[in-house]
Amino acid sequence: NFLLITETIFSRRRWEQFLKKNHHLSILISFFRSIKCHFPFDEPWFTIKSKLDIEEFLLKNNFQDGNFLVCPGDQNNSMNFDLNVVFKNSLQRFKIVQKLLIESKCVFALEGGTTNFSTLQALIEFHTSNVVKPLSCRLIICEVDNLFEMNKS
């Protein structure tokens, strides 16, 4: 079951390369096992870095209001993601919850929000065009050259 999920996300070779390079991230293996939907590794706004690294990266690089990164949420609840958004020179953190509906269909929503999305990518795309509570601003994808390097180290 785990391999089936990962094969839909990565080719088998890419998955093995990822695990070899990131063997220190064994805590995330249990996280991956619980994910029922596609995991957005190829998105420029997704990272597996720590919350501290994300905060430092976003705030020290003078990003504008709305710039954001998404990362896995709390280890205790592997169904969540964190949306980290720059707003008024500080970092706001929102929970993205994954809900399992009837017939094993999953949806994503911002905690405190009213709209469900079929994918994490759809949620992000919607909020790049709309300012809807609980967000204070429209999301803007970070245009950075070194984000890929941030994901590798």
Side-chain angles (χ1 to χ4, degrees), residues 83 94-97 108-115 123 127 132 134-135:
L83 171 62
F94 301 93
K95 290 280 180 213
I96 299 173
V97 293
F108 296 88
L110 286 173
E111 190 172 72
T114 57
T115 307
L123 182 148
H127 287 288
V132 178
L135 298 183

Side-chain angles (χ1 to χ4, degrees), residues 122-149:
L123 182 148
I124 296 300
E125 186 177 324
F126 175 81
H127 287 288
T128 59
S129 302
N130 301 282
V131 180
V132 178
K133 291 191 183 226
L135 298 183
S136 305
C137 60
R138 172 176 79 77
L139 296 179
I140 302 170
I141 295 174
C142 299
E143 297 293 334
V144 293
D145 295 331
N146 59 344
L147 183 57
F148 181 73
E149 291 300 315

Side-chain angles (χ1 to χ4, degrees), residues 2 60 63 67 88 120 140:
F2 178 61
K60 288 191 176 180
F63 287 108
N67 284 136
K88 295 188 177 180
L120 191 55
I140 302 170

Side-chain angles (χ1 to χ4, degrees), residues 32-150:
F32 297 144
R33 286 186 180 132
S34 68
I35 299 297
K36 306 286 188 231
C37 300
H38 293 287
F39 210 74
F41 284 108
D42 292 333
E43 295 294 343
W45 41 260
F46 184 79
T47 184
I48 56 173
K49 288 293 189 181
S50 72
K51 291 175 178 142
L52 185 61
D53 288 341
I54 291 170
E55 183 173 356
E56 182 178 324
F57 181 77
L58 287 173
L59 294 179
K60 288 191 176 180
N61 286 296
N62 297 317
F63 287 108
Q64 62 182 319
D65 286 357
N67 284 136
F68 71 97
L69 289 172
V70 175
C71 66
D74 294 330
Q75 295 171 2
N76 295 334
N77 188 347
S78 58
M79 299 289 280
N80 292 343
F81 294 90
D82 286 333
L83 171 62
N84 303 275
V85 183
V86 175
F87 187 69
K88 295 188 177 180
N89 297 318
S90 66
L91 193 66
Q92 295 182 338
R93 193 166 277 127
F94 301 93
K95 290 280 180 213
I96 299 173
V97 293
Q98 184 183 163
K99 305 172 191 175
L100 198 56
L101 301 179
I102 301 171
E103 300 174 9
S104 297
K105 179 182 177 190
C106 69
V107 294
F108 296 88
L110 286 173
E111 190 172 72
T114 57
T115 307
N116 292 330
F117 300 89
S118 60
T119 65
L120 191 55
Q121 291 87 338
L123 182 148
I124 296 300
E125 186 177 324
F126 175 81
H127 287 288
T128 59
S129 302
N130 301 282
V131 180
V132 178
K133 291 191 183 226
L135 298 183
S136 305
C137 60
R138 172 176 79 77
L139 296 179
I140 302 170
I141 295 174
C142 299
E143 297 293 334
V144 293
D145 295 331
N146 59 344
L147 183 57
F148 181 73
E149 291 300 315
M150 181 188 177

Side-chain angles (χ1 to χ4, degrees), residues 24-36:
H24 62 286
L25 300 172
S26 61
I27 190 73
L28 289 178
I29 300 242
S30 61
F31 177 74
F32 297 144
R33 286 186 180 132
S34 68
I35 299 297
K36 306 286 188 231

